[in-house]
Amino acid sequence: HLRDYIEQLSAMLVEEGVPDVAYYAHASVGVIHVRPVLNLKDPADVRRMGRVAERASDLVLVFGGAMTGEHGDGLVRSCWLEKMYGPRIMQAFRQIKQAFDPDGLFNPHKIVDPLPMTENLRYGGGFNYTPVKTYFDYSSYGGIGGMAGMCSGVGQCRQKLVGTMCPSYMATLDEQHTTRARANALRVALSGRGLIEGLDDPALVEVMDLCLSCKACKTECPTGVDMARMKADWQAHRNHRHGVSRGARFIADAPRLARWGARLPRSANFCLGLSWTRKLLERRYGLDRRIAPPRLATRTFRHWFKRHARRRNAPPAAADRRGRVIYFVDTWTNYYWPQVGIAAVRLLERCGFEVVAPHLQCCGRPLISKGLLAEARELAAINVEILNHFVDTGCYVVGSEPSCILTLLDEYPHFVRGADAKALAARVMTVESLLARVLRVEPDALKLRSHADGAARGVLYHGHCHLKALVGTGDVNELLRAVPGLAAAEINSGCCGMAGSFGHEQSHYDVARAIGEQRLFPAIRARGDAVIAINGFSCREQIAHHTGVTPRHVLEILADALPEPPPAAVS
């Protein structure tokens, strides 16, 4: 009866003036959670909630169902139980309660002697959040407190065997490390009702510490609580009040430091590999000596691309078929992993695109991750201005590092704001998504040949957290299946645990390793001789360090299946 019930319930909600509703269901067993979007700080909406619940309980009885909280009725639904069970059974409930708890000490007003559901509310009339300055836009939620308040307490962030949310909880099994705990702590801090005294309360430091900003909560949470965005604004507040820590500034400056190191990459790699250097980095910046800093490539991607463009002289004959595409050259691809950028260019040109790689600012991801939002917004504004000149001509903007290219998609519209940032976000995608879009129209556009190495060994794919949360891994799996003879499967992996700098930090190293050990590392160790495919640079570093297996980017694997031989390797 679930379909008919939902149809009639939805019609009733429209009658009550509640068009916006969150449905979250286990449809296979006829269970559905319904959360009408109501303003429970408004007495009129509180009364409307009572009417909606009354009518919903009647409708449930029409279909012979039960009104429950799935795991219990509690304070919210106990007032409807008598109509569900009848007076005789309710009297039996009272007798049992009286026999075992005559003084009413345990869970008073639950099941028996209930109060109306409109009492003991989180908010109630006159409730207001303390206004705080934020860099991101929360206007559709009525402010950052409104987004924190979207947590309904359903506890989806406590799952352990599927999905990505919440990586730190999966490792520690401590409630304070759930998305629910962080959202509620932030909500209480902004409510001015005690318990947590504002955004400077040390309790928030403890609760936010293990948030990896993986973004999984943005899509896996039934009500879309975006903890990564709120954490960045909270960090910005603390930085403003207490200053930026030495370690945070070091990580935020990673793009500039990479640029300097790339001038003498071999010398930089030698120095960073020395034990005393790693001890110094640990003592001064909190970077764990057990994990080596990433190694710089001997030649950058931009160095290769400049020579490539010069050799090409003009776009290949096929390029005018699809026009220009803008390749966003991120820090990690340019300085550490140029072979990924080379693979991206080869694949895009084979599809008939003219690849343009304008000089842009860093996307701002390292700054955002450490709450340096004023600086990140300046970089973002410059990038939006430059890229909109291309977007206005119909170009797509693509990237091969999910955490960087998806910053333009996810953060920029809520950060830079305005029509230009939204127009840019509408034309941003990963290289894999653009290639998949082309192959759906023209399946033989890449002319992929049988992948001898991968076909024999198989490929196991681990998706980057931001990609899984914001785009999904469907396009990547589609591309891997397009390679003739390639046996590819996706690992049910969650998060790798690195999350930018998280896995490098001494205070987080052990938790980061425990996160990877949940599902990902065991799957890699049991892979046989399969190739491990990934999208993210941080995933590569974490997997290589803890398993000894060096993964390859999906684009590298695809480029190996192109008909023409690859260019000279870049180490």
Side-chain angles (χ1 to χ4, degrees), residues 448-452 455 478-487 557-558 561:
L448 297 172
R449 57 183 172 80
S450 179
H451 196 300
E478 197 174 324
L479 287 175
L480 290 172
R481 288 194 297 268
V483 180
L486 187 66
I557 293 171
L558 287 170

PDB file of all heavy atoms in Angstrom, residues 448-452 455 478-487 557-558 561:
ATOM      1  N   LEU A 448      39.223   2.919 -28.640  1.00  0.00           N
ATOM      2  CA  LEU A 448      40.004   2.196 -27.640  1.00  0.00           C
ATOM      3  C   LEU A 448      40.285   0.771 -28.106  1.00  0.00           C
ATOM      4  O   LEU A 448      39.430   0.098 -28.667  1.00  0.00           O
ATOM      5  CB  LEU A 448      39.239   2.155 -26.307  1.00  0.00           C
ATOM      6  CG  LEU A 448      38.973   3.517 -25.658  1.00  0.00           C
ATOM      7  CD1 LEU A 448      38.058   3.354 -24.458  1.00  0.00           C
ATOM      8  CD2 LEU A 448      40.283   4.195 -25.257  1.00  0.00           C
ATOM      9  N   ARG A 449      41.503   0.337 -27.856  1.00  0.00           N
ATOM     10  CA  ARG A 449      41.886  -1.039 -28.193  1.00  0.00           C
ATOM     11  C   ARG A 449      41.895  -1.867 -26.905  1.00  0.00           C
ATOM     12  O   ARG A 449      41.786  -1.342 -25.806  1.00  0.00           O
ATOM     13  CB  ARG A 449      43.274  -1.060 -28.841  1.00  0.00           C
ATOM     14  CG  ARG A 449      44.362  -0.426 -27.983  1.00  0.00           C
ATOM     15  CD  ARG A 449      45.703  -0.415 -28.690  1.00  0.00           C
ATOM     16  NE  ARG A 449      46.692   0.359 -27.962  1.00  0.00           N
ATOM     17  CZ  ARG A 449      47.363  -0.076 -26.907  1.00  0.00           C
ATOM     18  NH1 ARG A 449      47.145  -1.295 -26.447  1.00  0.00           N
ATOM     19  NH2 ARG A 449      48.255   0.685 -26.307  1.00  0.00           N
ATOM     20  N   SER A 450      42.043  -3.152 -27.070  1.00  0.00           N
ATOM     21  CA  SER A 450      42.084  -4.037 -25.913  1.00  0.00           C
ATOM     22  C   SER A 450      43.253  -3.654 -25.018  1.00  0.00           C
ATOM     23  O   SER A 450      44.377  -3.440 -25.490  1.00  0.00           O
ATOM     24  CB  SER A 450      42.231  -5.494 -26.361  1.00  0.00           C
ATOM     25  OG  SER A 450      42.296  -6.338 -25.239  1.00  0.00           O
ATOM     26  N   HIS A 451      42.995  -3.564 -23.741  1.00  0.00           N
ATOM     27  CA  HIS A 451      44.007  -3.154 -22.773  1.00  0.00           C
ATOM     28  C   HIS A 451      44.712  -4.413 -22.284  1.00  0.00           C
ATOM     29  O   HIS A 451      44.231  -5.099 -21.378  1.00  0.00           O
ATOM     30  CB  HIS A 451      43.317  -2.420 -21.623  1.00  0.00           C
ATOM     31  CG  HIS A 451      44.249  -1.630 -20.775  1.00  0.00           C
ATOM     32  ND1 HIS A 451      45.287  -2.187 -20.082  1.00  0.00           N
ATOM     33  CD2 HIS A 451      44.289  -0.295 -20.501  1.00  0.00           C
ATOM     34  CE1 HIS A 451      45.920  -1.244 -19.397  1.00  0.00           C
ATOM     35  NE2 HIS A 451      45.337  -0.094 -19.640  1.00  0.00           N
ATOM     36  N   ALA A 452      45.838  -4.729 -22.894  1.00  0.00           N
ATOM     37  CA  ALA A 452      46.489  -6.021 -22.652  1.00  0.00           C
ATOM     38  C   ALA A 452      46.785  -6.234 -21.168  1.00  0.00           C
ATOM     39  O   ALA A 452      46.459  -7.264 -20.594  1.00  0.00           O
ATOM     40  CB  ALA A 452      47.776  -6.103 -23.474  1.00  0.00           C
ATOM     41  N   ALA A 455      43.405  -6.068 -19.068  1.00  0.00           N
ATOM     42  CA  ALA A 455      42.502  -7.163 -19.397  1.00  0.00           C
ATOM     43  C   ALA A 455      42.950  -8.449 -18.718  1.00  0.00           C
ATOM     44  O   ALA A 455      42.142  -9.247 -18.272  1.00  0.00           O
ATOM     45  CB  ALA A 455      42.438  -7.342 -20.908  1.00  0.00           C
ATOM     46  N   GLU A 478      31.495   3.626 -16.380  1.00  0.00           N
ATOM     47  CA  GLU A 478      31.088   3.527 -17.782  1.00  0.00           C
ATOM     48  C   GLU A 478      32.305   3.559 -18.702  1.00  0.00           C
ATOM     49  O   GLU A 478      32.396   2.800 -19.677  1.00  0.00           O
ATOM     50  CB  GLU A 478      30.143   4.684 -18.099  1.00  0.00           C
ATOM     51  CG  GLU A 478      29.321   4.531 -19.347  1.00  0.00           C
ATOM     52  CD  GLU A 478      28.313   5.649 -19.504  1.00  0.00           C
ATOM     53  OE1 GLU A 478      27.759   6.106 -18.489  1.00  0.00           O
ATOM     54  OE2 GLU A 478      28.090   6.080 -20.655  1.00  0.00           O
ATOM     55  N   LEU A 479      33.265   4.437 -18.396  1.00  0.00           N
ATOM     56  CA  LEU A 479      34.470   4.533 -19.213  1.00  0.00           C
ATOM     57  C   LEU A 479      35.316   3.267 -19.115  1.00  0.00           C
ATOM     58  O   LEU A 479      35.841   2.777 -20.124  1.00  0.00           O
ATOM     59  CB  LEU A 479      35.300   5.738 -18.776  1.00  0.00           C
ATOM     60  CG  LEU A 479      34.770   7.120 -19.162  1.00  0.00           C
ATOM     61  CD1 LEU A 479      35.643   8.203 -18.555  1.00  0.00           C
ATOM     62  CD2 LEU A 479      34.723   7.282 -20.674  1.00  0.00           C
ATOM     63  N   LEU A 480      35.485   2.762 -17.900  1.00  0.00           N
ATOM     64  CA  LEU A 480      36.292   1.555 -17.744  1.00  0.00           C
ATOM     65  C   LEU A 480      35.664   0.372 -18.483  1.00  0.00           C
ATOM     66  O   LEU A 480      36.374  -0.451 -19.070  1.00  0.00           O
ATOM     67  CB  LEU A 480      36.453   1.230 -16.253  1.00  0.00           C
ATOM     68  CG  LEU A 480      37.346   2.195 -15.456  1.00  0.00           C
ATOM     69  CD1 LEU A 480      37.280   1.882 -13.969  1.00  0.00           C
ATOM     70  CD2 LEU A 480      38.792   2.142 -15.938  1.00  0.00           C
ATOM     71  N   ARG A 481      34.341   0.311 -18.500  1.00  0.00           N
ATOM     72  CA  ARG A 481      33.659  -0.768 -19.222  1.00  0.00           C
ATOM     73  C   ARG A 481      33.780  -0.603 -20.735  1.00  0.00           C
ATOM     74  O   ARG A 481      33.584  -1.572 -21.486  1.00  0.00           O
ATOM     75  CB  ARG A 481      32.178  -0.817 -18.829  1.00  0.00           C
ATOM     76  CG  ARG A 481      31.930  -1.341 -17.425  1.00  0.00           C
ATOM     77  CD  ARG A 481      30.456  -1.691 -17.223  1.00  0.00           C
ATOM     78  NE  ARG A 481      29.599  -0.525 -17.352  1.00  0.00           N
ATOM     79  CZ  ARG A 481      29.224   0.244 -16.334  1.00  0.00           C
ATOM     80  NH1 ARG A 481      29.661  -0.027 -15.103  1.00  0.00           N
ATOM     81  NH2 ARG A 481      28.427   1.277 -16.519  1.00  0.00           N
ATOM     82  N   ALA A 482      34.107   0.628 -21.182  1.00  0.00           N
ATOM     83  CA  ALA A 482      34.229   0.874 -22.628  1.00  0.00           C
ATOM     84  C   ALA A 482      35.532   0.326 -23.206  1.00  0.00           C
ATOM     85  O   ALA A 482      35.673   0.223 -24.426  1.00  0.00           O
ATOM     86  CB  ALA A 482      34.138   2.380 -22.900  1.00  0.00           C
ATOM     87  N   VAL A 483      36.488  -0.019 -22.350  1.00  0.00           N
ATOM     88  CA  VAL A 483      37.757  -0.577 -22.838  1.00  0.00           C
ATOM     89  C   VAL A 483      37.557  -2.054 -23.148  1.00  0.00           C
ATOM     90  O   VAL A 483      37.186  -2.835 -22.267  1.00  0.00           O
ATOM     91  CB  VAL A 483      38.875  -0.409 -21.790  1.00  0.00           C
ATOM     92  CG1 VAL A 483      40.191  -0.987 -22.317  1.00  0.00           C
ATOM     93  CG2 VAL A 483      39.050   1.061 -21.423  1.00  0.00           C
ATOM     94  N   PRO A 484      37.788  -2.468 -24.399  1.00  0.00           N
ATOM     95  CA  PRO A 484      37.549  -3.870 -24.770  1.00  0.00           C
ATOM     96  C   PRO A 484      38.335  -4.834 -23.892  1.00  0.00           C
ATOM     97  O   PRO A 484      39.540  -4.678 -23.682  1.00  0.00           O
ATOM     98  CB  PRO A 484      38.036  -3.936 -26.224  1.00  0.00           C
ATOM     99  CG  PRO A 484      37.930  -2.533 -26.723  1.00  0.00           C
ATOM    100  CD  PRO A 484      38.245  -1.659 -25.545  1.00  0.00           C
ATOM    101  N   GLY A 485      37.633  -5.803 -23.355  1.00  0.00           N
ATOM    102  CA  GLY A 485      38.283  -6.864 -22.594  1.00  0.00           C
ATOM    103  C   GLY A 485      38.706  -6.493 -21.192  1.00  0.00           C
ATOM    104  O   GLY A 485      39.292  -7.326 -20.485  1.00  0.00           O
ATOM    105  N   LEU A 486      38.424  -5.267 -20.746  1.00  0.00           N
ATOM    106  CA  LEU A 486      38.881  -4.835 -19.422  1.00  0.00           C
ATOM    107  C   LEU A 486      37.884  -5.276 -18.356  1.00  0.00           C
ATOM    108  O   LEU A 486      36.705  -4.905 -18.405  1.00  0.00           O
ATOM    109  CB  LEU A 486      39.038  -3.318 -19.383  1.00  0.00           C
ATOM    110  CG  LEU A 486      39.666  -2.740 -18.106  1.00  0.00           C
ATOM    111  CD1 LEU A 486      41.113  -3.177 -17.978  1.00  0.00           C
ATOM    112  CD2 LEU A 486      39.589  -1.212 -18.117  1.00  0.00           C
ATOM    113  N   ALA A 487      38.331  -6.069 -17.409  1.00  0.00           N
ATOM    114  CA  ALA A 487      37.477  -6.505 -16.301  1.00  0.00           C
ATOM    115  C   ALA A 487      37.631  -5.513 -15.159  1.00  0.00           C
ATOM    116  O   ALA A 487      38.655  -5.497 -14.472  1.00  0.00           O
ATOM    117  CB  ALA A 487      37.880  -7.909 -15.857  1.00  0.00           C
ATOM    118  N   ILE A 557      44.895   4.791 -17.249  1.00  0.00           N
ATOM    119  CA  ILE A 557      44.498   3.469 -17.722  1.00  0.00           C
ATOM    120  C   ILE A 557      43.777   3.588 -19.067  1.00  0.00           C
ATOM    121  O   ILE A 557      44.025   2.805 -19.998  1.00  0.00           O
ATOM    122  CB  ILE A 557      43.610   2.784 -16.668  1.00  0.00           C
ATOM    123  CG1 ILE A 557      44.440   2.482 -15.418  1.00  0.00           C
ATOM    124  CG2 ILE A 557      42.982   1.508 -17.224  1.00  0.00           C
ATOM    125  CD1 ILE A 557      43.635   2.002 -14.239  1.00  0.00           C
ATOM    126  N   LEU A 558      42.908   4.575 -19.194  1.00  0.00           N
ATOM    127  CA  LEU A 558      42.203   4.782 -20.462  1.00  0.00           C
ATOM    128  C   LEU A 558      43.165   5.184 -21.571  1.00  0.00           C
ATOM    129  O   LEU A 558      43.066   4.702 -22.710  1.00  0.00           O
ATOM    130  CB  LEU A 558      41.135   5.862 -20.289  1.00  0.00           C
ATOM    131  CG  LEU A 558      39.893   5.473 -19.483  1.00  0.00           C
ATOM    132  CD1 LEU A 558      39.051   6.709 -19.198  1.00  0.00           C
ATOM    133  CD2 LEU A 558      39.073   4.441 -20.225  1.00  0.00           C
ATOM    134  N   ALA A 561      44.957   2.607 -23.471  1.00  0.00           N
ATOM    135  CA  ALA A 561      44.173   1.842 -24.452  1.00  0.00           C
ATOM    136  C   ALA A 561      43.963   2.602 -25.753  1.00  0.00           C
ATOM    137  O   ALA A 561      43.269   2.116 -26.645  1.00  0.00           O
ATOM    138  CB  ALA A 561      42.814   1.473 -23.846  1.00  0.00           C
TER     139      ALA A 561
END
